[in-house]
Amino acid sequence: MKSKLIFTAIAAAVLAACGGGGGGSSGFASLPIGSVAPPSSGGAPAPSPAPSPAPSPAPAPATRTYMYETLSPAADKDAFLGHLNAEGGRSFRFLTGLAFVSGQSVSTVEAYVKDGTASYVYELLDTATSRSAFQAQLDAQGARGFRWAGSYAVGGANVTLYRKDDSSTYSYVLTAPQSSSAGFLQEANAQGANGYLNLAPSFMVGTEAVAIYEKGSAGGARYVYEFPSSPSSDGDLLAQFNAQGARSFRFRSPYHFTDRDGLLYVQDSSQSSTFSFSALDPTDSSAKWVEQANAQGAQGRGLIGDYMMPSGQTKNIFFAASSCTGELCNSTSLFGR
């Protein structure tokens, strides 16, 4: 049977959350100095010194790896916060809820990912019921270094997650969602040029939908968006993922606008990252999910999530990032943070 990710609250693009990254190292090989023997009296001149060896190449940048684990679902808000902060202290960031269906039974878990050395501190706040209240909450939390990490349902209540992982502060812009793909691209690219990453093209706050943009105080990321149509075959879809990834565009999510459907991609134009994508069969239990995700993660492939392919088959989509720092290298859930 297939696994299915539970997504609560964000019907939009992925990405985000920090978590450190694999850093590269470089060095210089010491060059031995050739020595010349003094000439022997009346003998032949000393031979020329042997040429110095060529310097060793600098080591390749370290590959970011991803480690996953799951916990049994928390019974209530306080228990969930305990899970978040205990895992966060071990550098595991909350990823999403997962449900595994086998026959008539359904089992659920909380999934966490470690893709760096940062530690995380979480706060859970009541869900805002209006755009103005949500903006005020975002501004207050962002000024304290807590970034929005989505909404989640636990113990019969909806809560909003905020996560702190470094000394950065965060600012947020809320706009009315764009109904057309052209309108979205125009707005998202204008915001992206100012360093604002789109976290959700449309997110419900009370009875009003908003688009959410986030900018961190550290770094100089500049974001560019594209929205090609979704291919009609599984092979063409993966080919599109990888062609876009070779151009530094990371796949975020499918999306529906009033004029057309398509796939959202984002590029950080301040760096020359590349991305590659692969698709594996889904698993039918949390233990197998962890086994598959960690096998891929050890090879530098982060999980995006399970995805309905054009054929109707569900696949687990993984990505690998090269020459990448910042937001777009992070493992995030599809439609998640």
Side-chain angles (χ1 to χ4, degrees):
M1 301 298 292
K2 298 175 181 177
S3 65
K4 185 182 179 79
L5 296 184
I6 300 176
F7 304 116
T8 61
I10 303 180
V14 254
L15 231 306
C18 237
S25 61
S26 62
F28 298 92
S30 59
L31 302 180
I33 300 174
S35 59
V36 180
S40 302
S41 175
S48 300
S52 301
S56 301
T63 300
R64 177 184 295 214
T65 59
Y66 305 85
M67 182 182 298
Y68 297 85
E69 63 182 36
T70 61
L71 296 179
S72 297
D76 54 34
K77 174 181 174 180
D78 291 340
F80 183 46
L81 183 60
H83 285 184
L84 292 171
N85 284 320
E87 291 293 285
R90 301 174 51 236
S91 298
F92 280 88
R93 185 177 68 251
F94 179 65
L95 184 64
T96 188
L98 290 171
F100 297 90
V101 180
S102 179
Q104 298 300 311
S105 64
V106 179
S107 60
T108 60
V109 294
E110 300 167 7
Y112 294 82
V113 60
K114 178 178 180 178
D115 54 11
T117 58
S119 58
Y120 304 99
V121 177
Y122 284 84
E123 292 183 354
L124 299 180
L125 300 186
D126 292 338
T127 299
T129 57
S130 69
R131 174 173 171 171
S132 60
F134 187 39
Q135 182 74 70
Q137 187 181 87
L138 289 169
D139 291 343
Q141 292 295 97
R144 298 175 53 232
F146 282 86
R147 67 195 312 184
W148 183 68
S151 295
Y152 196 69
V154 57
N158 290 322
V159 294
T160 301
L161 286 72
Y162 288 91
R163 182 185 66 243
K164 182 179 178 68
D165 50 62
D166 58 25
S167 59
S168 299
T169 58
Y170 298 89
S171 56
Y172 293 87
V173 171
L174 301 181
T175 67
Q178 296 292 321
S179 60
S180 71
S181 59
F184 170 80
L185 289 173
Q186 181 178 14
E187 177 182 270
N189 283 320
Q191 293 287 350
N194 290 319
Y196 280 88
L197 176 66
N198 180 267
L199 303 183
S202 183
F203 179 80
M204 290 303 299
V205 180
T207 59
E208 184 177 4
V210 296
I212 306 172
Y213 294 88
E214 176 192 78
K215 181 179 181 178
S217 60
R222 295 293 181 266
Y223 299 107
V224 179
Y225 294 83
E226 291 187 352
F227 186 65
S229 297
S230 179
S232 59
S233 74
D234 294 3
D236 287 345
L237 177 64
L238 278 173
Q240 184 188 94
F241 284 170
N242 286 306
Q244 290 289 95
R247 298 176 52 236
S248 300
F249 282 89
R250 175 173 161 172
F251 169 64
R252 288 174 66 82
S253 75
Y255 201 75
H256 168 75
F257 291 102
T258 55
D259 58 334
R260 64 188 182 93
D261 297 335
L263 303 177
L264 285 175
Y265 292 86
V266 61
Q267 174 198 79
D268 179 357
S269 62
S270 71
Q271 55 184 297
S272 299
S273 307
T274 58
F275 303 95
S276 60
F277 298 85
S278 56
L280 299 181
D281 290 335
T283 57
D284 60 5
S285 70
S286 61
K288 291 180 181 178
W289 180 87
V290 169
E291 181 180 9
Q292 182 189 74
N294 281 334
Q296 294 296 306
Q299 299 177 58
R301 300 187 186 100
L303 178 71
I304 292 177
D306 58 345
Y307 187 87
M308 183 69 73
M309 305 292 281
S311 65
Q313 292 185 318
T314 299
K315 296 287 187 179
N316 279 347
I317 304 298
F318 291 85
F319 78 101
S322 176
S323 303
C324 185
T325 61
E327 298 303 311
L328 302 190
C329 331
N330 296 318
S331 179
T332 60
S333 67
L334 192 63
F335 307 119
R337 289 282 287 124

